[in-house]
Amino acid sequence: MEIENNQEQKLFEVSNKTNNEEKLSKRQRKKQEKLKKLMENKKLKREIEKVKKKEKKQLAKEQGIKSTGPSRKMLKRNKIQLENAPYYIAIDLSFDDLMNDKDVTSCASQLLRVYTTNRRSKRPVPVYFTGLVQGSKIVQRLDQHQGSCNWDIFRSEKSYLDLFERDKIIYLTSESENTLEKLDTGFSYIIGGIVDHNSQKGLTYDLAKKHNIKTAKLPLQEYVQMNSRSVLTINQCFDILVGVGEGREWKDVIMEVIPQRKLPKLKQTQDNQKNDENKNE
């Protein structure tokens, strides 16, 4: 009798699955198949990278090279200290409904790069993922990254407005009339966690003004000339902040982070001219 019940249950599950698949449109089925293939390719890519890393490590050992970079043990010890943190960075992830599936996947990949950069930084900074509503598309994508729940990142459903002092919040947006000159101790810098391909121009600036929050833009135009709009990805903004937080010059970090396809050229400033004169001497 129990066997019959189990068989009936399996038949019901198969039938239910078939009915659900039939309800999907041809376009939705294609999307599902594409996403499934993408995830399979990611797993395969990870395995290939593991093999390559193992081979590189073995080759270095044979050649007597002691280290090819920080070990996983060292990186795990590189924990973030909240006490006496010089500044904080939060990624505002409250834009779930404004992104399609492709943009959400891209956003999740950029957040992975944020975590990787911070983990390898000489001075890791406290990072917050705010506005992460349980069950949202971005949460689902993040959970697909193996071990993301163990990242040294502070995840919260709350808004950044509820986590930091309002008078010490600066929302980074390219539309701001203020230019960020330095990272102030105790301040929280907010990066808009949205991939929009310029379709939501001015969104984060308008939101910051609505909540009476200070805004600032990165000093891109002060140091470089580009052939396109000075809008960067989430991880590029983060990389610049962390690079400057490590004590490096704005111009050096910006030139390193901005993709070459944007053809960045270093502007001739008074400081650059002095450096050139010193080199010639």
Side-chain angles (χ1 to χ4, degrees):
M1 197 66 185
E2 189 178 340
I3 294 169
E4 287 178 4
N5 288 336
N6 287 339
Q7 287 176 339
E8 285 176 7
Q9 180 64 27
K10 284 180 181 178
L11 285 169
F12 174 76
E13 287 173 1
V14 171
S15 175
N16 195 35
K17 187 180 178 182
T18 306
N19 290 335
N20 287 337
E21 286 175 353
E22 286 175 357
K23 286 177 184 177
L24 292 174
S25 65
K26 189 177 179 181
R27 190 177 178 183
Q28 286 173 323
R29 281 200 299 272
K30 275 189 176 180
K31 271 189 178 181
Q32 279 192 349
E33 287 168 10
K34 192 176 179 181
L35 185 61
K36 187 180 177 183
K37 195 174 180 180
L38 181 69
M39 296 311 296
E40 285 172 356
N41 288 341
K42 277 187 178 179
K43 285 179 183 177
L44 180 63
K45 193 177 176 182
R46 266 193 224 109
E47 291 303 319
I48 293 169
E49 284 173 354
K50 280 181 184 178
V51 172
K52 283 184 177 179
K53 201 175 279 185
K54 196 174 181 180
E55 289 173 351
K56 190 178 178 181
K57 197 174 181 181
Q58 183 62 34
L59 183 64
K61 192 177 180 181
E62 289 170 4
Q63 293 176 348
I65 301 170
K66 288 185 178 181
S67 176
T68 56
S71 67
R72 292 183 76 85
K73 281 186 179 179
M74 284 178 67
L75 289 172
K76 281 182 180 179
R77 288 194 202 108
N78 203 17
K79 292 289 182 183
I80 297 162
Q81 301 297 325
L82 274 177
E83 293 179 11
N84 302 319
Y87 60 97
Y88 308 87
I89 299 177
I91 316 296
D92 177 13
L93 295 166
S94 61
F95 307 105
D96 202 79
D97 58 332
L98 297 176
M99 294 187 286
N100 58 34
D101 290 344
K102 187 179 178 181
D103 291 340
V104 171
T105 301
S106 178
C107 182
S109 297
Q110 290 178 32
L111 295 176
L112 171 60
R113 293 190 185 100
V114 164
Y115 162 70
T116 304
T117 295
N118 202 43
R119 192 183 182 198
R120 293 179 175 274
S121 172
K122 294 174 184 176
R123 299 178 189 172
V125 62
V127 180
Y128 291 74
F129 289 173
T130 66
L132 271 180
V133 179
Q134 199 61 37
S136 62
K137 289 185 290 185
I138 189 63
V139 169
Q140 290 173 25
R141 288 289 183 276
L142 281 173
D143 290 345
Q144 286 173 356
H145 286 286
Q146 194 175 7
S148 63
C149 57
N150 299 319
W151 291 356
D152 200 5
I153 299 281
F154 303 95
R155 295 171 60 154
S156 177
E157 288 194 4
K158 292 181 178 179
S159 165
Y160 61 90
L161 296 167
D162 301 319
L163 297 171
F164 307 111
E165 295 178 49
R166 276 181 177 255
D167 60 340
K168 289 188 176 181
I169 292 175
I170 295 178
Y171 209 122
L172 298 176
T173 171
S174 59
E175 285 80 19
S176 178
E177 59 275 11
N178 307 311
T179 301
L180 192 66
E181 296 178 355
K182 61 187 179 71
L183 300 177
D184 292 312
T185 302
F187 272 68
S188 302
Y189 298 91
I190 316 299
I191 299 171
I194 182 170
V195 177
D196 62 357
H197 308 287
N198 296 330
S199 62
Q200 301 290 340
K201 187 180 176 182
L203 173 67
T204 52
Y205 178 76
D206 292 339
L207 280 173
K209 286 296 180 186
K210 179 183 175 182
H211 296 298
N212 200 26
I213 298 299
K214 297 185 189 78
T215 63
K217 59 186 174 185
L218 295 174
L220 303 180
Q221 294 176 353
E222 280 67 26
Y223 294 103
V224 294
Q225 293 175 329
M226 292 191 293
N227 281 7
S228 58
R229 280 186 70 220
S230 54
V231 178
L232 304 179
T233 62
I234 299 164
N235 55 292
Q236 287 165 356
C237 292
F238 182 84
D239 289 355
I240 291 172
L241 291 178
V242 170
V244 172
E246 289 176 345
R248 297 165 63 196
E249 295 290 331
W250 281 105
K251 61 181 177 65
D252 296 331
V253 179
I254 291 169
M255 285 297 292
E256 183 182 294
V257 170
I258 292 178
Q260 287 303 307
R261 68 176 182 274
K262 293 197 174 188
L263 301 174
K265 290 182 181 178
L266 193 64
K267 279 188 177 179
Q268 196 66 18
T269 61
Q270 287 183 350
D271 289 339
N272 291 340
Q273 286 175 350
K274 285 178 184 177
N275 289 336
D276 291 339
E277 287 170 6
N278 290 335
K279 283 179 184 177
N280 292 331
E281 289 173 4

